[in-house]
Amino acid sequence: MPNIPDISDDNDNELYEHHAFRVVAGQQPLRIDKYLMNFIENATRNKIQAAAKDGSIFVNDVPVKSNYKVKPNDYITVKFEHPPHENLLIAEDIPIDVVYEDDDLLVVNKPAGMVVHPGHGNYSGTLINALIFHFENLPNNSSERPGLVHRIDKDTSGLLVVAKTEHAMAHLSNQFAKKTSEREYVAIVWGNIEEDEGTIEGNIGRHPKNRLQNTVFLDDEEEQGKPAVTHFKVIERLGYVTLVSCKLETGRTHQIRVHMKHIGHTLFNDERYGGERILKGTTFTKYKQFVDNCFKILPRQALHAKTLGFVHPTTNEFMSFESEIPEDMSQCIEKWRHYAKHMDA
């Protein structure tokens, strides 16, 4: 992205950049309010139109109205007089499930539904809001996020390591960058994975038409993404879904969700990537009702960060932690297990 300077209004008030997008080369003409709905999470068209009316939406450094039609290579920024909320961290007394703690670090078990760090639409109730309440003087990472070495998605449950010192932050971050940490996830995916195990390789980057998704780029387009490698192993076949273990060699955003969809096995109830629809199975009404009941039991993508391993930054001892599959996911697995037995009978 080009480094476009902040623009001042008549009162010389500084404007802060909240969002920035480069329109892809093949984009067809489209009203900017409709276009931005695919790029700004939790933003309604009315909010986008109000921002344009206030003069907060710029194209190539010029404010535009909501009926402006975007063109290929336009550079769009959304700016306001206040800094982004994620830069204004507020400590909140939120319970944290601490699995392990010492002077250098802690390992937490994040519940599904908790956002890891503040961002658009999620300015409170995050893990960082909780961390800065319970722990003082946490070191910032390269994105100015206290204690955070890595992250998992809001609706993914499981283990995270948090650094308590500058040394621990540098040491742990280096392990994740050099791919020496160990991370295993458990997922329920649509369809029967025929291979017992395998490796998915494919560069991952932002989807050109929907910024809320990532996608795999191959061959001539691979430079649009970053290298990503996921190793999977089937744990149990459950009829029209499969319980699978995924080990990450890299840590791209939505990596397991994107890679599994890429090979035709979208995560069960992953709304962002289309897994909230019935992708495998029968047309019987009873089956549809069964799947709907599973969705109600597990109202999120079926993904849990089960195992986390790393070298301790001070003792140099390899440490490994494991968390149980949470109740919502366990109940869903049991329902599919019972269904699969019925199928085989």
Side-chain angles (χ1 to χ4, degrees):
M1 294 266 181
N3 185 17
I4 293 181
D6 285 321
I7 304 167
S8 298
D9 62 14
D10 293 337
N11 297 321
D12 289 332
N13 288 333
E14 183 180 8
L15 294 182
Y16 296 86
E17 182 179 288
H18 285 234
H19 304 280
F21 314 103
R22 171 72 70 184
V23 181
V24 297
Q27 175 66 47
Q28 298 297 313
L30 182 67
R31 281 178 59 114
I32 196 166
D33 52 359
K34 289 185 177 181
Y35 177 84
L36 288 177
M37 286 180 67
N38 287 327
F39 287 79
I40 302 178
E41 192 168 5
N42 300 328
T44 65
R45 192 172 177 187
N46 285 340
K47 287 183 179 178
I48 293 170
Q49 289 176 340
K53 188 175 181 180
D54 291 340
S56 298
I57 298 178
F58 299 81
V59 175
N60 305 323
D61 215 15
V62 177
V64 298
K65 299 301 182 183
S66 57
N67 63 353
Y68 173 85
K69 291 192 175 181
V70 300
K71 300 186 293 294
N73 297 315
D74 274 349
Y75 184 68
I76 302 171
T77 52
V78 183
K79 301 185 179 186
F80 298 102
E81 291 183 13
H82 58 86
H85 284 279
E86 52 262 42
N87 294 343
L88 307 174
L89 297 177
I90 299 171
E92 296 180 73
D93 186 4
I94 302 168
I96 303 174
D97 182 5
V98 177
V99 176
Y100 172 85
E101 181 185 359
D102 61 25
D103 291 340
D104 298 284
L105 57 89
L106 62 144
V107 176
V108 300
N109 191 22
K110 186 190 81 67
M114 174 182 268
V115 176
V116 171
H117 58 78
H120 183 78
N122 297 289
Y123 304 127
S124 64
T126 75
L127 178 61
I128 283 188
N129 294 116
L131 287 171
I132 61 176
F133 179 89
H134 293 286
F135 302 95
E136 295 182 355
N137 302 318
L138 290 174
N140 283 337
N141 65 11
S142 58
S143 301
E144 302 296 315
R145 288 165 178 158
L148 210 61
V149 178
H150 62 125
R151 62 179 292 275
I152 56 179
D153 298 329
K154 173 185 176 182
D155 289 326
T156 299
S157 53
L159 297 174
L160 285 162
V161 61
V162 176
K164 294 173 68 176
T165 68
E166 296 284 355
H167 170 70
M169 175 65 76
H171 196 284
L172 291 166
S173 296
N174 188 52
Q175 291 183 57
F176 278 80
K178 290 188 174 180
K179 309 169 189 173
T180 58
S181 61
E182 293 185 2
R183 286 169 289 170
E184 179 192 6
Y185 291 70
V186 174
I188 307 170
V189 300
W190 279 108
N192 176 34
I193 300 180
E194 295 182 0
E195 307 91 347
D196 289 336
E197 57 185 87
T199 297
I200 309 166
E201 297 185 58
N203 288 16
I204 290 178
R206 191 76 73 178
H207 195 291
K209 293 187 178 179
N210 187 345
R211 194 175 173 83
L212 303 183
Q213 288 186 6
N214 282 350
T215 190
V216 172
F217 292 96
L218 300 172
D219 303 324
D220 293 341
E221 296 183 329
E222 66 178 13
E223 72 279 356
Q224 296 182 47
K226 294 181 179 180
V229 181
T230 304
H231 306 284
F232 69 86
K233 182 179 292 186
V234 170
I235 299 173
E236 189 175 358
R237 293 182 174 87
L238 301 168
Y240 297 120
V241 301
T242 303
L243 184 64
V244 63
S245 161
C246 294
K247 289 189 176 181
L248 296 183
E249 196 172 299
T250 52
R252 308 304 175 202
T253 301
H254 299 174
Q255 179 170 319
I256 293 172
R257 301 164 69 183
V258 173
H259 267 174
M260 296 310 295
K261 178 175 182 175
H262 178 66
I263 66 168
H265 296 285
T266 303
L267 263 63
F268 185 78
N269 209 12
D270 187 349
E271 184 175 1
R272 183 164 296 187
Y273 289 93
E276 86 287 6
R277 303 190 303 272
I278 295 177
L279 299 181
K280 298 290 180 180
T282 75
T283 57
F284 296 136
T285 302
K286 281 189 177 180
Y287 175 71
K288 182 180 182 301
Q289 186 177 18
F290 164 77
V291 175
D292 285 343
N293 287 336
C294 289
F295 286 158
K296 289 175 184 176
I297 289 170
L298 184 67
R300 63 179 180 101
Q301 70 254 12
L303 187 61
H304 175 66
K306 185 174 184 288
T307 304
L308 177 63
F310 51 84
V311 174
H312 192 280
T314 300
T315 67
N316 288 323
E317 173 192 359
F318 184 80
M319 308 183 76
S320 184
F321 301 90
E322 188 165 310
S323 66
E324 292 185 0
I325 295 174
E327 187 67 19
D328 59 353
M329 197 164 163
S330 293
Q331 287 187 18
C332 186
I333 292 168
E334 280 301 319
K335 283 187 73 69
W336 275 107
R337 190 173 283 144
H338 179 77
Y339 186 89
K341 286 180 181 177
H342 179 73
M343 285 176 61
D344 294 337

